[in-house]
Amino acid sequence: MASPETTPVIVGVGEFSERPKSVLESKEPVALMVEAMRAADADGGGKVLARVQRVDLVGLVSWRYADAASLLCEKLGISPAQKINAGMGGETPIRLVHEAALRIARGEIKAAAVVGGESNSTRTKAKRENVELPWTPMPPAKATPPYFTLSEIALKLRMWDPAQIYPFYEMATQATRGVTPREGNAESARLWAKFAAAAARNPQAWNREGQSAEAIATVGGANRMINWPYPKLMVANPSVNQAAAVIITSLALARELGIADEKGVYIWGGAAAHEPDDYLKRDSYAHSTAQAAVLNKSTEIAGGAGKFSKLELYSCFPVVPKMALKTLGLDAEKISPTVTGGLTFFGGPLNNYMLHAVCAMTREMRADAKGIGLLYGNGGYVNKHHAIVVSQTPGAAPIAPDYSVQAEADAKLGPVPPLKQDYVGPARIETYTVTYSREGEPIQGVVIALSPQDERVMARVPAEDNGSFGLLCSWDRNAIGQQGEVSLDASGLPTWRAA
């Protein structure tokens, strides 16, 4: 039996969302986080924030601060020994909560807080309206290394937005399963309707309209195509003003502060693994061995996938929860993939969505004494994967000190095709997408293809090439496996044309 002194529990969760009438009435990100932290403290009985020894602030994007974590603590009137401005990635909140639990388990601290927030809706509107925001003055911008290092050809073709990359996985997984784009679109829409329904029940959600599967699947008008095969209602929405905070303590401190045991949610453990940063250096686009290893370990911790009563499967784009459900062997018609509402409908506050998911899952576990919840986060271009298992019931064993399952992920990797960036010659499509303008007009197709020697190449498909382009935009036939020829266009860019 683990000692209460080294048993981590979530004791306080708080969220804050705002829709100001004007941009000048809006709170800046740190101010949103102040509200979320106070809400988490109140949720934990009102005495726990003063005992926090470490604050981790999820990497924020919508405003630049010299030291956001220190400014937050100053505004809250607290002085934790450690104030950390953490990194980026959709899995980051799960990692930070897991690491806070491990610090408590090691006896290093007794209480920690994880917090994050974005005012991206206001920032976007202010830019559009040419309004100068009266927020904390930004420090001078510093040169920072790229978040992920990509191959030169990906940069030349301007293929670095995650919304452009996840479709490569969507089309590859559809081909592997023998699903046409039309069938895949319908499947994604049915899945996304589950997220929309959860958002409709969540008071903190940005979009509570409860979109139907038919509306989500129908491309046109406000639901314009973003990148094939995803329209707007299948893509994360970062234009939100939302913040969340989670406070974790030792069970002993929670009891000392008078927090009832049934209020605490135990962190049983979890797992993490990653793929190569450069998406052109993956073994396949039809799977992620890192995701599978993380979910398999989480299932082991829970005692089987069937033990999960609640799920939160990261939902930047439909392919991620689709792949997760397949690995878990679970059916979204029988268990909801979300307790929060998803990044399209609840809102996608950039790196911080999963902290809102921790808040939602904590409330679910408090309401179900025997429930077990899975929180799975994904970051980058299907790069980083982290999951934790939580319950109101204590785990059968103390939380494991090591959560890496990288060795298991790497052991399942297939051969990685060597990248040939200057290739000219025959090539068959390995996967593909089509990029669209803000008006919903196609810009170009982009294929990842394989030479006869199984070298990987990347090339564009001009919209003017009706024959080749039409193959990529067919709802009734997946273009993977289509043979073609790569040549250089007038500007020296590799261009693929169907044979």
Side-chain angles (χ1 to χ4, degrees):
M1 184 71 177
S3 165
E5 296 288 346
T6 54
T7 299
V9 288
I10 297 169
V11 298
V13 294
E15 297 174 88
F16 187 79
S17 301
E18 67 159 13
R19 290 179 178 270
K21 294 180 179 178
S22 75
V23 294
L24 293 176
E25 295 176 3
S26 177
K27 294 180 184 295
E28 63 182 279
V30 161
L32 294 180
M33 289 184 240
V34 167
E35 298 292 344
M37 287 281 271
R38 287 173 175 161
D41 185 45
D43 182 59
K47 300 177 182 179
V48 67
L49 191 56
R51 302 294 292 271
V52 165
Q53 297 162 282
R54 178 181 172 116
V55 170
D56 283 279
L57 191 149
V58 177
L60 62 92
V61 177
S62 57
W63 198 251
R64 190 168 64 251
Y65 294 92
D67 184 349
S70 293
L71 178 62
L72 172 67
C73 292
E74 178 186 327
K75 289 183 178 296
L76 288 167
I78 60 175
S79 301
Q82 296 175 298
K83 298 171 285 238
I84 309 299
N85 293 291
M88 306 285 187
E91 88 301 339
T92 302
I94 299 301
R95 173 176 61 83
L96 296 178
V97 169
H98 196 169
E99 290 178 349
L102 289 174
R103 289 186 183 93
I104 291 168
R106 293 193 297 265
E108 297 172 3
I109 58 174
K110 296 181 178 181
V114 180
V115 62
E118 299 284 358
S119 299
N120 207 42
S121 176
T122 294
R123 186 79 192 281
T124 301
K125 290 177 182 176
K127 286 182 178 180
R128 187 167 59 241
E129 298 170 13
N130 198 28
V131 173
E132 186 174 344
L133 294 167
W135 294 353
T136 301
M138 284 191 186
K142 296 180 181 178
T144 56
Y147 183 37
F148 292 120
T149 302
L150 299 180
S151 297
E152 183 181 354
I153 186 59
L155 299 176
K156 283 184 176 180
L157 294 178
R158 303 182 66 82
M159 294 296 289
W160 55 69
D161 189 322
Q164 300 168 318
I165 312 310
Y166 283 80
F168 289 140
Y169 279 82
E170 177 69 43
M171 300 315 300
T173 55
Q174 286 184 18
T176 299
R177 296 170 51 223
V179 172
T180 67
R182 190 182 307 280
E183 292 166 336
N185 172 272
E187 181 184 36
S188 294
R190 290 193 298 272
L191 182 65
W192 244 226
K194 303 287 185 185
F195 286 89
R201 299 188 295 269
N202 190 335
Q204 297 293 335
W206 199 254
N207 180 343
R208 301 185 66 196
E209 297 175 7
Q211 298 280 358
S212 69
E214 181 181 6
I216 295 166
T218 303
V219 180
N223 194 29
R224 63 183 173 86
M225 189 66 78
I226 302 295
N227 292 283
W228 181 271
Y230 294 145
K232 190 174 182 179
L233 287 178
M234 292 184 190
V235 174
N237 173 24
S239 293
V240 297
N241 289 4
Q242 295 174 317
V246 174
I247 300 175
I248 309 102
T249 72
S250 69
L251 179 59
L253 178 58
R255 288 171 173 170
E256 178 188 327
L257 295 173
I259 300 171
D261 281 6
E262 58 267 24
K263 186 88 171 180
V265 170
Y266 295 86
I267 301 166
W268 285 12
H274 61 85
E275 304 277 356
D277 282 1
D278 189 342
Y279 63 85
L280 290 176
K281 297 180 180 177
R282 309 282 172 83
D283 70 323
S284 170
Y285 301 100
H287 67 234
S288 165
T289 63
Q291 183 199 59
V294 165
L295 294 174
N296 287 337
K297 181 62 178 181
S298 300
T299 297
E300 178 186 319
I301 291 169
K307 297 288 187 179
F308 292 123
S309 58
K310 299 292 180 180
L311 304 174
E312 186 65 50
L313 304 178
Y314 199 76
S315 50
C316 50
F317 307 96
V319 70
V320 178
K322 281 183 181 180
M323 292 166 62
L325 286 165
K326 180 182 178 183
T327 296
L328 292 167
L330 297 176
D331 184 349
E333 296 300 321
K334 297 179 180 178
I335 181 171
S336 174
T338 181
V339 294
T340 312
L343 281 84
T344 300
F345 306 105
F346 174 86
L350 300 164
N351 300 297
N352 202 50
Y353 172 82
M354 286 305 296
L355 203 58
H356 290 275
V358 175
C359 294
M361 185 66 79
T362 296
R363 292 189 290 267
E364 292 286 345
M365 292 297 100
R366 287 171 176 171
D368 181 4
K370 295 183 179 180
I372 300 175
L374 171 66
L375 287 152
Y376 158 67
N378 160 80
Y381 310 119
V382 203
N383 293 55
K384 300 183 291 180
H385 307 265
H386 204 131
I388 55 174
V389 178
V390 298
S391 177
Q392 191 191 116
T393 302
I399 186 170
D402 181 17
Y403 58 67
S404 175
V405 289
Q406 193 62 46
E408 291 85 343
D410 292 345
K412 299 290 186 179
L413 284 172
V416 178
L419 182 62
K420 190 83 169 178
Q421 304 199 65
D422 56 355
Y423 178 80
V424 172
R428 66 187 186 280
I429 296 178
E430 183 182 12
T431 189
Y432 64 101
T433 187
V434 176
T435 63
Y436 288 77
S437 70
R438 293 189 63 82
E439 291 70 41
E441 296 298 322
I443 299 172
Q444 66 175 4
V446 178
V447 302
I448 298 174
L450 296 169
S451 74
Q453 291 74 40
D454 283 334
E455 299 162 317
R456 181 171 283 156
V457 300
M458 192 179 205
R460 64 187 294 268
V461 180
E464 302 78 43
D465 180 357
N466 294 328
S468 302
F469 202 81
L471 288 171
L472 305 188
C473 297
S474 170
W475 285 110
D476 297 311
R477 177 189 170 191
N478 193 308
I480 288 177
Q482 173 67 45
Q483 296 287 345
E485 189 83 13
V486 176
S487 60
L488 300 182
D489 66 12
S491 60
L493 291 176
T495 302
W496 184 90
R497 179 181 292 274

